[in-house]
Amino acid sequence: MTPEGIKRVAVFCIIKSGDLYLLLKRAKMPNKGKFVPVGGKINPYESPLDAVIRETMEETGITISNPAFCGVLTETSPVNYNWVSFIYLSEIEYIPAPECDEGELFWIHSDQLKDLDTPPTDWYIYQYAAHNRPFVFSAVYDGELNMVHLVDELCGKMIL
């Protein structure tokens, strides 16, 4: 178990096929029941690039090559939810949504993303990634994990 206050390091892969996003409806915490990109923790001595390729394969069975780096998301809270996540994008040919041990995978049309039950940061991540706009987002949460604010660190702009 990770001690309280330690930031954990993770990767996420936004998998796309045209206007469709392959998202995971998580079966466990954190973000249980929400739709998220596939991903997970970076192992010691593993680069973010190697981790995103490994995590995508483990969760979907899909081998990605040359995922595009999109940006970094830091999440800070006064409780045990503190992350640094490297976000990548991989465009693939459409395949039926594979089985996944972490929950259920679904293809979601880009028009449905705004109304989908996702973590509060994800809509902004999808928008930046869709426009090839790099980002360094800093999200701060309260003790109940409600997002207090989101800052685009590259331009110093408060997004939310």
Side-chain angles (χ1 to χ4, degrees), residues 4-54:
E4 193 91 16
I6 299 292
K7 284 222 187 277
R8 289 169 274 188
V9 183
V11 291
F12 289 98
C13 188
I14 301 167
I15 300 172
K16 285 185 64 188
S17 182
D19 289 336
L20 297 175
Y21 289 72
L22 185 62
L23 298 178
L24 173 66
K25 186 172 184 181
R26 280 192 58 86
K28 52 187 171 178
M29 296 301 286
N31 295 314
K32 182 178 180 177
K34 295 188 182 293
F35 288 87
V36 298
V38 298
K41 295 182 201 95
I42 297 177
N43 290 329
Y45 308 106
E46 185 177 43
S47 72
L49 179 61
D50 289 341
V52 78
I53 291 168
R54 175 187 54 76

Side-chain angles (χ1 to χ4, degrees), residues 7-145:
K7 284 222 187 277
R8 289 169 274 188
V9 183
V11 291
F12 289 98
C13 188
I14 301 167
I15 300 172
K16 285 185 64 188
S17 182
D19 289 336
L20 297 175
Y21 289 72
L22 185 62
L23 298 178
L24 173 66
K25 186 172 184 181
R26 280 192 58 86
K28 52 187 171 178
M29 296 301 286
N31 295 314
K32 182 178 180 177
K34 295 188 182 293
F35 288 87
V36 298
V38 298
K41 295 182 201 95
I42 297 177
N43 290 329
Y45 308 106
E46 185 177 43
S47 72
L49 179 61
D50 289 341
V52 78
I53 291 168
R54 175 187 54 76
E55 283 287 345
T56 301
M57 171 57 84
E58 287 178 2
E59 293 189 9
T60 67
I62 297 169
T63 301
I64 57 172
S65 57
N66 301 317
F69 177 73
C70 296
V72 175
L73 168 66
T74 63
E75 296 176 287
T76 305
S77 80
V79 295
N80 195 16
Y81 187 81
N82 294 282
W83 295 89
V84 175
S85 299
F86 295 85
I87 315 296
Y88 291 83
L89 174 71
S90 185
E91 185 84 29
I92 67 168
E93 293 292 322
Y94 178 85
I95 60 167
E99 296 289 319
C100 180
D101 291 344
E102 301 286 326
E104 192 171 354
L105 290 164
F106 295 90
W107 283 107
I108 307 292
H109 194 275
S110 59
D111 292 343
Q112 299 172 294
L113 291 175
K114 185 143 179 82
D115 298 321
L116 202 61
D117 188 11
T118 65
T121 54
D122 290 16
W123 168 248
Y124 303 99
I125 289 169
Y126 299 141
Q127 294 308 298
Y128 275 59
H131 294 97
N132 295 317
R133 186 173 170 194
F135 60 86
V136 176
F137 288 151
S138 179
V140 175
Y141 299 88
D142 65 19
E144 284 78 47
L145 296 180

